Amino acid sequence: MNRTNNMLLKTILPVVIGLAVVAWLFAREFSIEQFLQIPWTIRTVGAIILAWLCMAGREWGMMWRFRTLTDRDLSWRKAFKVTMLCEFTSAVTPTTAGGSALSMLFMKREGINLGRATALTMVTLMLDELFYVIACPLIFLLLPGGEIFGFNHSAFTVGVRTSFWIVYGGICVVTLFLFIGIFISPHRVAAALLKLFSIPWLRRWRGQVSELGDNLVATGKDIRHRTARWWCEAMTATCMTWVCRYLVVNALFWGFASAAPQAIVFARQFVVWTILTISPTPGGSGVSEWLFTNYYGDLIGDISIALILAIFWRIISYYIYLIAGAIMLPSWLRKGYTKHQHIK
């Protein structure tokens, strides 16, 4: 009962934060006259449907990746459950990686050995970070940085640019750490981490770091000799999950702000999601709506329309997972509790 109540609290909190910020933005920026000018046509309705289809493509990609990583030991149904629970966990934790980090527990509940599930979770984390590390330079090679961040030199634009490059640098470091820890020298990385966290003011996390080191060693043994086809399929599924997530915004712009350059709309999603990895609120609640409205406002030309698109975007890519998780998680918790009681 306590776990269920805690889950409900974590579900309600991001909703309250998000709605509070949306209400503040509406009070400050919204114009009913501009809203009434939105042409509700077949194109705009089709754009919303297309956005939902893009999000469905993301979920299919995640399910495909879980099935690939587990050598098809997870059925499509079980992969769907793991995917939805991961998305829910990401929605109620302060970083967008929260769901992936707990996927080991969800896979274990669906019949995957915990050690193997832990190894595969490390792989999913590395694949997600690797996608960012490779894709971001390609985006900046193809498109001018001024268009991606915005040409004005306001405090907001400077803050977005600075935050992005700091976080991107951190992602590169984490990716390199995971790559070396998994493929090259997991034992040395584990030993170095333990030595580092022997420093008095870091010692409190030594136990967790020791577990991380053990996971790296186990992961290296489990997946180091996988075939090129296995890795290619896993990386393709990873790319699909992220690209489809970004295309949700492209679909909305196609319907509501067709004059905006689609390449820039897509590129800015890299910046948005990178910054959201350091959001202090659950699932980026509040920060997402504020960031989207201000960051995409110059491409739309009307802050009121940008706010409407931000709301559609969050409903499709965020709030739906709070609903799905709130429905699925109590059953998942009861199932685990029942098994525990049976073992006792």
Side-chain angles (χ1 to χ4, degrees), residues 40-311:
W40 291 98
T41 63
I42 293 177
R43 183 187 182 101
T44 52
V45 173
I48 295 174
I49 295 173
L50 182 59
W52 279 105
L53 290 175
C54 289
M55 209 61 201
R58 167 178 165 75
E59 303 320 312
W60 191 87
M62 289 188 68
M63 291 161 58
W64 178 24
R65 183 169 72 172
F66 278 123
R67 280 179 48 78
T68 298
L69 295 177
T70 60
D71 300 312
R72 307 298 191 276
D73 288 341
L74 282 181
S75 65
W76 283 107
R77 179 174 174 273
K78 290 182 176 181
F80 174 77
K81 289 172 64 178
V82 172
T83 296
M84 287 296 103
L85 289 169
C86 284
E87 294 283 24
F88 172 75
T89 307
S90 293
V92 297
T93 53
T95 69
T96 56
S100 298
L102 290 176
S103 61
M104 67 184 80
L105 301 179
F106 304 138
M107 284 190 280
K108 178 180 181 295
R109 186 65 58 83
E110 299 304 324
I112 304 299
N113 174 271
L114 181 59
R116 183 185 177 199
T118 301
L120 297 180
T121 296
M122 300 290 287
V123 173
T124 61
L125 290 172
M126 186 190 71
L127 289 174
D128 285 334
E129 306 301 335
L130 187 62
F131 170 79
Y132 265 86
V133 169
I134 295 174
C136 281
L138 293 177
I139 291 294
F140 280 91
L141 282 173
L142 296 173
L143 298 169
E147 292 189 29
I148 295 176
F149 292 112
F151 286 108
N152 67 75
H153 297 286
S154 65
F156 173 80
T157 300
V158 173
V160 166
R161 186 193 299 267
T162 303
S163 299
F164 171 78
W165 287 118
I166 291 174
V167 177
Y168 177 72
I171 290 173
C172 290
V173 171
V174 170
T175 305
L176 180 62
F177 165 77
L178 288 172
F179 183 83
I180 295 174
I182 291 174
F183 293 104
I184 299 177
S185 185
H187 289 91
R188 287 185 179 180
V189 170
L193 283 173
L194 282 177
K195 187 173 182 179
L196 174 64
F197 280 81
S198 296
I199 298 173
W201 57 278
L202 293 177
R203 196 169 294 160
R204 62 159 73 176
W205 295 289
R206 183 179 171 86
Q208 294 169 301
V209 168
S210 176
E211 184 178 352
L212 173 61
D214 292 341
N215 290 340
L216 283 173
V217 173
T219 301
K221 291 179 180 178
D222 185 69
I223 56 90
R224 194 176 298 168
H225 303 294
R226 294 287 185 168
T227 64
R229 179 180 177 181
W230 188 87
W231 282 108
C232 183
E233 188 173 348
M235 194 62 200
T236 301
T238 300
C239 293
M240 180 179 180
T241 64
W242 286 105
V243 169
C244 284
R245 169 174 260 179
Y246 295 166
L247 288 177
V248 170
V249 177
N250 284 86
L252 293 174
F253 266 79
W254 172 74
F256 292 88
S258 57
Q262 287 287 329
I264 300 301
V265 172
F266 182 80
R268 289 191 178 190
Q269 280 290 283
F270 281 88
V271 178
V272 168
W273 286 103
T274 299
I275 293 175
L276 288 181
T277 61
I278 57 171
S279 169
T281 61
S285 299
V287 177
S288 299
E289 292 83 356
W290 172 81
L291 179 61
F292 185 99
T293 302
N294 287 277
Y295 188 38
Y296 279 104
D298 65 319
L299 296 181
I300 299 171
D302 189 313
I303 202 72
S304 297
I305 306 302
L307 181 54
I308 297 299
L309 291 188
I311 293 171

Side-chain angles (χ1 to χ4, degrees), residues 5-31:
N5 290 338
N6 189 43
M7 181 274 296
L8 289 173
L9 178 61
K10 288 186 175 182
T11 303
I12 294 170
L13 179 61
V15 174
V16 172
I17 295 173
L19 291 178
V21 172
V22 167
W24 174 70
L25 288 170
F26 261 97
R28 193 184 68 165
E29 309 286 0
F30 184 68
S31 168

